Amino acid sequence: VCTVKGILPMYVLHKFCLVFQAPIKATCEDMSCKTGFPEDVHSAVVSRSVHGGQPLLNVRFRSCDVNKKIHFGSSEPEAFRVGEDGVVYAERSFQLSAEPTEFVVSAQDKETQQEWQMRVKLTPEPAFTGASEKDQRKIEEIIFPWQQYKHSSPLKRQKRDWVIPPINLPENSKGPFPQELVRIRSDRDKSLSLRYSVTGPGADQPPTGIFIINPISGQLSVTKPLDREQIASFHLRAHAVDVNGNQVENPIDIVINVIDMNDNRPEFLHQVWNGTVPEGSKPGTYVMTVTAIDADDPNAQNGMLRYRILSQAPSSPSPNMFTINNETGDIITVAAGLDREKVQQYTLIIQATDMEGNPTYGLSNTATAVIAVTDVNDNPPEFTAMTFYGEVPENRVDVIVANLTVTDKDQPHTPAWNAMYRMTGGDPTGRFTILTDPNSNDGLVTVVKPIDFETNRMFVLTVAAENQVPLAKGIQHPPQSTATVSITVIDVNESPYFVPNPKLVRQEEGLLAGSMLTTFTAQDPDRYMQQTSLRYSKLSDPANWLKIDPVNGQITTTAVLDRESIYVQNNMYNATFLASDNGIPPMSGTGTLQIYLLDINDNAPQVHPKEATTCETLQPNAINITAVDPDIDPNAGPFAFELPDTPASIKRNWTIVRISGDHAQLSLRIRFLEAGIYDVPIVITDSGNPHASSTSLLKVKVCQCDLNGDCTDVDRIVGAGLGTGAIIAILLCIIILLILMFVVWMKRRDKERQAKQLLIDPEDDVRDNILKYDEEGDYDLSQLQQPDTVEPDAIKPVGIRRLDERPIHAEPQYPVRSAAPHPGDIGDFINEGLKAADNDPTAPPYDSLLVFDYEGSGSTAGSLSSLNSSSSGGEQDYDYLNDWGPRFKKLADMYGGGDD
């Protein structure tokens, strides 16, 4: 039996219960087994503030078959969720209204799909009034279905766990601490010695030590003030075990909700808020939204904020130009008259208060809202004068002739202020344009086409100014947006000009020098200036064929005009002339005279090529020739080809046949013509009227040919196109080059011979000198003779003679081979030695070891083959070798004559 200490008895909860400091009611009654909900409508009382995940109540459902799997559901799954154990949880946080909240809980058999329903009514409990009121109402439980023990056949009622309603504990409590909350005990503590404990965040998990429990009495207490803004609720689990640590009761869950207190002021997200509103906006125009947050519970009055405007600066034209939505923070206009040209910015002080704006109990904070009035095009540009003046010299372009100034009250350098200018009259030919200065907004009247003073002396333009964006609705352009521009053209001295330019003249070539060709004159456009007549001069005449009269511009020839000149291109000859006036400053103009030269038959045709080659026998190897005429049709081809009558050998040896209008073939008439060079005259006549003809010499090289018709003798070199003079020049160049190469080689040879002479000390043997043999050149090979031929031994003093030289006493003699004092090369030296050996009767056979030169006899080192010889210095004393160490002892024994 569960009892409340010093208060009222409670109903049996089967061994384990939670004791509150306020009365708690629970009912458990025995019923007959019938599957389903025990009632159709169930009412429960819960706290007004519901948090997401908070358990609210436990539904009671009876199931006569313990193996049945029942699934619970809710008609409002977005607000309530029913667990498999029948506990109803809140899916989200919300505030219960004064009216009961209803929803349907359903239970469904997963196998048979049979479904049961029950309607649940949630009524909010009265608001918590403070520490003086200790009674708290618990949530009535709904019993879970009966269940059967697994290991006993008879049906017995199984203990049902009770879902404890949340414990509401206000934050920032002043104590004293520890402060008792509830007492937990089991009805088995009469027969057993039990120990109680709690686990979970706030107890044995971080933050630890906030909640403690007396292990003997089960009294649960809080040790310090709580802060809802840090942790809004705690989920603990209570345990009961015996002294041996064996669990005697199933753990129960305890939820402790921290009740919010109004201990936090509202805080704006920004201390200064910036917004904009167009000038001239109508009342009700949205401007901006300010937002503040409160760390207190947003679902309670402590976190419910209200906004209002405390002040507006400036207060023109009205002190209440704006208003704010007290719940959302939206700022809108409430009065007309926003004019950027008068007030460009408003500053509002915004206040946010919690407790739903209660000025007595609510906490407040302020922020600043800065509202900039943006510009709209409500002011058109206006000219500062009705007429502007300017002047421009004639024929000048890209010059500014006038500056148009305007005023605009809109914000500078915005589309509503930037001006655009257009001409509405006075410029039908488009000689002017108006550009806008981006800095000053002035209009720059610019000339884009040349103006002739003799044609137009003045322009009167009509211009209009407007902005880049249209004017605001209801605003019209005033007359000041239109102005007049008067532009005066200044007369200047202009350049004379030839008419026509260029001038074309057709003339036959061959016009003799001193002939009058044409007259080429210019005109002066300055009709209103007092000037003398123009003067003419020649500027360009590539062939120097022409001259011009400086007064009247008459052009005459100074040489014969020739169409075939290199200065004539496509029958056209160009000359340039200059016309100058005497104005201030003097001006001049140029004109081009084009002379189209007509061809006459003044050139006779010539043969091409001038040289050719053919074989000395009559073979099908005719020579193809071409007639070339600098003239053009009809003074050129077709041409006539023939051989002259004299000398008679020409027609006797040669024949010519025309194969086309410009080409002919020359070939031998006789069977054989001796090889050589022949000059064959050919008479060629053109088709001009009258005809022009010439006799051209064709140099023909007749040579011996092979089967392929190619020249095989030397003459073909000549026939290849090189004349005799060219061949002689080439041969002379080759000879000179060879002479130069020979001279250079001789000088180099003498220099090397002088620099590389072998200098050998007569005091020393040549074999002991280091000689360089890898250099080419001429050397005195006599230095390689036997030492006896260099210096006799007799002249050397005794005592300094080298042991490897020839001894003074008699030795076997070999024939002395003579050496040339200055042999030409090493080959001659070897040949001399070979000849001496062949003629020496004492020389050994060819297959034996031959001694070519004497290299001395004897050596201080001796012979390696005489190490064991007793005649190799046995009389000497070698005992001193014993002092040199064990390595030399063997030598001392060998040469000292010891027994060993």
Side-chain angles (χ1 to χ4, degrees):
V1 178
C2 296
T3 60
V4 179
K5 181 178 181 181
I7 306 179
L8 296 174
M10 298 184 64
Y11 295 96
V12 178
L13 299 179
H14 194 265
K15 296 183 181 180
F16 194 40
C17 68
L18 177 66
V19 180
F20 289 91
Q21 295 178 357
I24 299 177
K25 296 181 180 180
T27 60
C28 300
E29 50 187 352
D30 297 333
M31 300 180 180
S32 59
C33 182
K34 182 181 179 180
T35 302
F37 292 104
E39 51 191 349
D40 295 333
V41 179
H42 178 74
S43 298
V45 179
V46 297
S47 60
R48 183 180 298 270
S49 297
V50 178
H51 302 277
Q54 174 182 338
L56 302 177
L57 56 101
N58 192 346
V59 297
R60 291 184 295 177
F61 185 85
R62 296 192 186 96
S63 177
C64 298
D65 187 357
V66 71
N67 295 324
K68 279 189 176 182
K69 295 183 180 180
I70 305 299
H71 173 71
F72 295 97
S74 170
S75 61
E76 296 183 15
E78 70 281 357
F80 304 100
R81 175 178 59 86
V82 184
E84 294 296 330
D85 54 356
V87 179
V88 180
Y89 298 90
E91 281 290 283
R92 57 182 174 83
S93 299
F94 57 88
Q95 288 284 119
L96 288 177
S97 61
E99 297 296 328
T101 300
E102 297 186 4
F103 63 95
V104 176
V105 175
S106 61
Q108 185 180 29
D109 189 341
K110 293 184 179 180
E111 295 182 358
T112 63
Q113 301 299 319
Q114 185 178 2
E115 185 176 289
W116 299 267
Q117 293 184 348
M118 179 181 66
R119 189 158 51 90
V120 178
K121 288 185 178 182
L122 298 181
T123 303
E125 64 183 4
F128 181 72
T129 58
S132 61
E133 184 177 351
K134 298 182 179 179
D135 295 341
Q136 299 184 24
R137 185 183 304 272
K138 77 170 186 65
I139 301 174
E140 294 187 18
E141 71 166 351
I142 299 177
I143 306 298
F144 270 105
W146 297 92
Q147 296 185 7
Q148 184 179 4
Y149 286 108
K150 295 182 180 179
H151 302 290
S152 58
S153 56
L155 291 177
K156 293 184 180 180
R157 186 174 65 183
Q158 183 185 3
K159 174 184 67 176
R160 295 186 301 272
D161 294 336
W162 192 14
V163 176
I164 306 301
I167 301 172
N168 295 324
L169 184 63
E171 65 174 334
N172 302 326
S173 176
K174 295 184 179 180
F177 295 102
Q179 179 182 350
E180 297 181 352
L181 300 180
V182 295
R183 182 185 177 196
I184 301 172
R185 58 168 300 208
S186 171
D187 58 356
R188 300 184 61 182
D189 59 356
K190 296 180 179 180
S191 59
L192 297 173
S193 178
L194 302 182
R195 296 294 183 267
Y196 302 96
S197 63
V198 290
T199 58
D204 61 342
Q205 299 177 18
T208 60
I210 297 179
F211 299 98
I212 60 175
I213 189 172
N214 190 312
I216 304 301
S217 63
Q219 184 68 46
L220 181 64
S221 304
V222 62
T223 62
K224 59 182 180 180
L226 303 181
D227 188 356
R228 192 204 68 83
E229 286 70 41
Q230 293 184 359
I231 301 177
S233 64
F234 296 88
H235 296 265
L236 305 178
R237 173 163 288 194
H239 306 269
V241 298
D242 59 17
V243 294
N244 295 322
N246 299 319
Q247 178 179 317
V248 298
E249 298 287 357
N250 290 334
I252 60 173
D253 294 326
I254 302 174
V255 178
I256 302 175
N257 292 328
V258 182
I259 304 302
D260 184 40
M261 305 296 288
N262 192 18
D263 57 345
N264 291 279
R265 290 182 178 274
E267 296 290 341
F268 283 91
L269 298 181
H270 305 286
Q271 193 58 35
V272 178
W273 297 78
N274 294 291
T276 59
V277 61
E279 62 176 331
S281 297
K282 296 180 180 180
T285 302
Y286 170 79
V287 180
M288 60 189 299
T289 300
V290 297
T291 304
I293 58 175
D294 196 318
D296 292 326
D297 188 358
N299 298 314
Q301 290 185 346
N302 299 335
M304 294 181 180
L305 307 182
R306 297 295 182 265
Y307 302 92
R308 70 188 185 102
I309 298 176
L310 296 181
S311 64
Q312 169 192 308
S315 58
S316 173
S318 171
N320 297 313
M321 296 295 294
F322 304 93
T323 186
I324 188 171
N325 187 308
N326 64 347
E327 293 187 1
T328 63
D330 295 340
I331 299 177
I332 59 176
T333 60
V334 292
L338 291 173
D339 190 352
R340 192 204 64 84
E341 287 71 36
K342 296 180 179 180
V343 180
Q344 299 182 2
Q345 180 177 287
Y346 289 91
T347 302
L348 308 180
I349 303 300
I350 310 297
Q351 183 185 59
T353 307
D354 58 15
M355 295 297 292
E356 295 183 322
N358 190 319
T360 303
Y361 302 103
L363 302 178
S364 302
N365 213 336
T366 60
T368 302
V370 179
I371 301 175
V373 181
T374 58
D375 188 34
V376 298
N377 194 14
D378 56 347
N379 294 282
E382 298 180 0
F383 285 100
T384 59
M386 297 303 297
T387 304
F388 297 87
Y389 299 92
E391 59 183 21
V392 58
E394 65 174 330
N395 300 321
R396 296 285 300 276
V397 294
D398 296 331
V399 293
I400 298 174
V401 298
N403 274 26
L404 311 181
T405 56
V406 295
T407 59
D408 196 318
K409 297 179 182 179
D410 291 321
Q411 184 175 357
H413 305 291
T414 61
W417 178 82
N418 297 334
M420 298 188 304
Y421 301 89
R422 58 185 178 89
M423 282 179 288
T424 59
D427 186 23
T429 56
R431 298 183 181 273
F432 301 91
T433 186
I434 304 179
L435 306 176
T436 302
D437 188 326
N439 296 320
S440 63
N441 214 27
D442 293 345
L444 309 178
V445 182
T446 308
V447 181
V448 293
K449 292 182 180 179
I451 302 174
D452 187 8
F453 173 82
E454 287 71 27
T455 305
N456 296 292
R457 299 187 181 184
M458 179 175 287
F459 290 88
V460 178
L461 309 177
T462 304
V463 297
E466 55 189 18
N467 296 120
Q468 291 180 349
V469 294
L471 290 172
K473 187 176 181 181
I475 299 178
Q476 302 296 329
H477 282 281
Q480 291 80 4
S481 295
T482 304
T484 301
V485 183
S486 179
I487 301 175
T488 302
V489 183
I490 302 174
D491 190 17
V492 297
N493 186 23
E494 298 179 80
S495 300
Y497 60 93
F498 286 87
V499 179
N501 190 15
K503 182 176 183 179
L504 178 64
V505 176
R506 301 175 66 88
Q507 176 65 44
E508 282 188 353
E509 66 173 331
L511 185 65
L512 300 178
S515 302
M516 188 272 184
L517 181 63
T518 184
T519 300
F520 196 20
T521 60
Q523 299 180 6
D524 193 340
D526 298 314
R527 291 175 293 175
Y528 302 98
M529 286 188 175
Q530 298 297 329
Q531 298 182 130
T532 60
S533 59
L534 302 177
R535 303 286 294 180
Y536 300 96
S537 60
K538 185 173 64 173
L539 187 63
S540 173
D541 183 13
N544 199 22
W545 286 345
L546 309 172
K547 69 177 181 178
I548 186 169
D549 189 281
V551 177
N552 57 21
Q554 190 177 65
I555 298 175
T556 57
T557 61
T558 59
V560 178
L561 304 184
D562 185 7
R563 191 197 66 84
E564 290 75 32
S565 172
I566 60 175
Y567 302 105
V568 178
Q569 301 293 331
N570 298 323
N571 303 328
M572 192 73 70
Y573 180 77
N574 294 323
T576 306
F577 298 91
L578 187 70
S580 304
D581 62 15
N582 61 346
I584 302 175
M587 301 297 292
S588 61
T590 60
T592 301
L593 178 65
Q594 294 181 333
I595 305 175
Y596 188 86
L597 295 174
L598 303 175
D599 185 40
I600 62 174
N601 196 12
D602 57 344
N603 293 280
Q606 299 292 326
V607 67
H608 181 79
K610 295 292 185 179
E611 296 181 356
T613 303
T614 187
C615 297
E616 60 185 1
T617 59
L618 182 61
Q619 296 183 18
N621 55 355
I623 301 172
N624 293 326
I625 59 175
T626 303
V628 178
D629 194 334
D631 295 326
I632 59 175
D633 291 337
N635 298 319
F639 300 96
F641 301 87
E642 60 181 345
L643 299 176
D645 295 332
T646 59
S649 60
I650 298 301
K651 284 191 174 181
R652 184 175 62 251
N653 296 336
W654 305 94
T655 181
I656 191 169
V657 178
R658 192 179 77 169
I659 57 177
S660 65
D662 298 338
H663 304 282
Q665 281 188 346
L666 178 68
S667 58
L668 288 174
R669 180 185 292 273
I670 59 180
R671 294 181 176 274
F672 175 81
L673 183 63
E674 185 180 357
I677 299 177
Y678 298 86
D679 291 332
V680 181
I682 300 175
V683 179
I684 306 176
T685 305
D686 61 19
S687 299
N689 188 16
H691 300 296
S693 64
S694 66
T695 301
S696 300
L697 287 179
L698 177 64
K699 189 179 293 295
V700 180
K701 288 79 175 180
V702 179
C703 60
Q704 297 179 1
C705 298
D706 55 13
L707 297 178
N708 297 325
D710 298 328
C711 286
T712 59
D713 53 7
V714 180
D715 289 342
R716 64 176 179 175
I717 300 178
V718 179
L722 294 177
T724 304
I727 295 175
I728 294 175
I730 293 174
L731 292 176
L732 288 176
C733 292
I734 293 174
I735 293 172
I736 293 173
L737 181 61
L738 291 175
I739 293 174
L740 290 176
M741 292 176 63
F742 178 77
V743 171
V744 171
W745 178 77
M746 289 295 294
K747 288 184 177 181
R748 181 177 178 183
R749 181 172 175 269
D750 293 340
K751 185 182 295 185
E752 291 177 352
R753 176 181 299 173
Q754 296 173 4
K756 298 181 180 180
Q757 290 291 337
L758 291 175
L759 301 178
I760 302 178
D761 186 3
E763 292 289 332
D764 201 357
D765 189 79
V766 295
R767 292 168 298 163
D768 295 335
N769 290 283
I770 299 176
L771 301 178
K772 295 179 65 176
Y773 293 99
D774 59 343
E775 293 186 8
E776 297 180 357
D778 297 329
Y779 299 95
D780 186 6
L781 297 180
S782 62
Q783 300 296 329
L784 300 178
Q785 300 179 41
Q786 301 178 15
D788 291 343
T789 63
V790 178
E791 180 180 4
D793 293 336
I795 65 176
K796 289 187 178 182
V798 180
I800 62 172
R801 186 176 64 85
R802 293 168 40 154
L803 297 179
D804 58 347
E805 293 181 354
R806 182 188 300 271
I808 298 177
H809 54 81
E811 291 183 357
Q813 298 294 318
Y814 297 97
V816 178
R817 301 165 188 170
S818 63
H822 298 286
D825 53 21
I826 193 66
D828 296 339
F829 176 75
I830 296 175
N831 290 331
E832 290 293 335
L834 179 61
K835 186 182 297 183
D838 291 340
N839 297 328
D840 186 3
T842 63
Y846 71 93
D847 56 349
S848 62
L849 179 63
L850 298 181
V851 178
F852 288 93
D853 205 350
Y854 177 73
E855 295 184 354
S857 63
S859 173
T860 57
S863 175
L864 294 179
S865 61
S866 61
L867 288 177
N868 295 326
S869 174
S870 61
S871 62
S872 60
E875 297 82 0
Q876 297 186 26
D877 185 8
Y878 293 97
D879 293 337
Y880 65 90
L881 294 178
N882 295 325
D883 299 334
W884 289 10
R887 296 185 180 180
F888 294 89
K889 188 177 184 302
K890 182 64 176 175
L891 292 176
D893 295 339
M894 292 175 61
Y895 285 88
D899 297 336
D900 295 335

